[in-house]
Amino acid sequence: MENKKLHIALLFGGNSSEHDVSKRSAHNIYDALDKEKYEVSVFMFTKKGFLLGNEASMRIFDGENEDKVVAEVTKDVDFSNPLANIQNLSEVKDVDVFYPVIHGNMGEDGTVQGLFRLLNKPWIGSGIASSAVSFDKDLTKKLLTINGIRNTKYVLVTPDNQKEYPYAKIVEELGETVFVKPARQGSSVGIHKVTNEQEYNEALQDGFKYDFKILVEEAIKNPREVECSVLGNLDIKASKLGAISIPGSDDWYDYNNKFVDASGVVFEMPINLPEKLTKEIQQMSLDAFRALDNRGLARMDFLVDENDVPYFGEVNTLPGFTNISLYPQLWEVSGINYSDLIDQLIQLAIDEFKANEEIHYDFVELGTEKVGKKIIGE
Ligand SMILES: Nc1ncnc2c1ncn2[C@@H]1O[C@H](COP(=O)(O)OP(=O)(O)O)[C@@H](O)[C@H]1O
Ligand SMILES: [Mg+2]
């Protein structure tokens, strides 16, 4: 019998500030996929959410100017048609496993996961609700707190309750220095470290450009930023730890340090922390993965204070995946190389799909003959 290759579709791009990182991640994954085992297609979401077909996506993948290709292939598209953005969707009909390599909005927030669910195909990473919750810093913190996982104190400011949270009230509850963050963003976009009333008011105003839910969070003083990679579905494991620091400054890991000039940023992988702290962070990572009902992969980020107390920072369910990104590098130093890691993620996606299939397709016939009694009045 002919052994058919497994058809993998890499989805990349999207409308977050990590559009280009996504392209690089997808490139590295593409190169690492064993073409003897896999047939690989690529599909790019443009910044406006249009799903390009494999051919146009491949041209961009191969280095053609993105804006030029997008303008060319969308010039006759009727965008007044609500289905315009997914008009190339029929091209994915032979795909066996979807690999969303899209960081941030659309990729990480449950949107494309809903599409895969509708297409009834396996995909790498967390499910719809888990992705959406993990992308929302407010909902994430609420679930962590319910599950006893330490995270920083915060208040949620919305247009409705903003008047109840003048800076004086914030100082009383959380201290003078706080971080102001939109709940559903990433890449440090819209995040401000503030230390006075004017900065606070300006930060809220800026935050509301990105979301109507703003977290105002107690600041950890001189934190060490530590990361842990988690791999698996229900049977999960935690990697060795990594750390990000910006030596010689009291900078935080802002947009500039991430994407504009990373020359002052030092990555240490693995980082040797005291054993008790290492174990605690790994355990918190596994606990958070379960609390958030994650699947496949997630990178857990921590802030460790001056007394070696770790606070859960945030979760990334589709972390950067270039061959020098933290998630795969932490596995590399923990004994799983880049292409084996990808093989494992594909298998986990298939396993998860099979496990769910047994649940989703069992229809329960609901009887209609016996109905409850209605008591109206006496
Ligand atoms: N409570 C906090 N105390 C100290 N630093 C923080 C705090 N929250 C965020 N930061 C800094 O801001 C950066 C970005 O915040 P994070 O919550 O990770 O958002 P993003 O999703 O944009 O990466 C962190 O990497 C850290 O440098
Ligand atoms: Mg972060």
Side-chain angles (χ1 to χ4, degrees), residues 125 233-234 295 347-357:
N233 286 337
L234 297 179
R295 291 291 186 280
Q347 190 54 49
L348 287 167
I350 294 169
D351 293 347
E352 175 63 14
F353 183 76
K354 283 190 183 144
N356 276 293
E357 229 178 0

Side-chain angles (χ1 to χ4, degrees), residues 24-25 28-29 321-326 328-329 332 338:
R24 258 182 283 147
S25 295
N28 287 161
I29 294 168
F321 217 107
T322 70
N323 52 9
I324 56 159
S325 294
L326 276 164
Q329 288 262 293
E332 189 91 47
Y338 190 75

Side-chain angles (χ1 to χ4, degrees), residues 28-100:
N28 287 161
I29 294 168
Y30 185 90
D31 291 343
L33 280 164
D34 180 355
K35 309 299 181 301
E36 297 284 312
K37 277 202 293 200
Y38 305 114
E39 177 188 343
V40 189
S41 303
V42 296
F43 297 95
M44 191 187 97
F45 274 109
T46 68
K47 289 170 187 159
K48 290 189 173 148
F50 181 83
L51 181 69
L52 290 179
N54 180 47
E55 198 196 313
S57 304
M58 216 23 132
R59 283 170 57 192
I60 294 169
F61 220 54
D62 288 342
E64 268 191 65
N65 180 283
E66 179 177 320
D67 292 341
K68 187 177 137 270
V69 176
V70 172
E72 187 189 309
V73 299
T74 59
K75 73 178 187 311
D76 295 323
V77 174
D78 172 14
F79 281 102
S80 67
N81 174 353
L83 296 181
N85 275 347
I86 51 166
Q87 68 178 30
N88 291 320
L89 202 60
S90 60
E91 282 197 36
V92 306
K93 67 181 187 309
D94 298 325
V95 168
D96 294 310
V97 178
F98 286 97
Y99 196 156

Side-chain angles (χ1 to χ4, degrees), residues 137 181 186-188 191 225 253 258 299 301 313-314 316:
K137 292 185 164 72
K181 336 180 163 165
S187 314
S188 299
I191 299 188
E225 302 203 26
Y253 198 33
K258 281 181 184 172
R299 196 191 74 221
D301 295 351
E314 61 153 348
N316 292 280

Side-chain angles (χ1 to χ4, degrees), residues 305-336:
D305 77 7
E306 290 168 326
N307 300 316
D308 274 0
V309 177
Y311 291 81
F312 194 98
E314 61 153 348
V315 49
N316 292 280
T317 53
L318 289 171
F321 217 107
T322 70
N323 52 9
I324 56 159
S325 294
L326 276 164
Y327 183 87
Q329 288 262 293
L330 286 176
W331 282 120
E332 189 91 47
V333 298
S334 306
I336 305 176

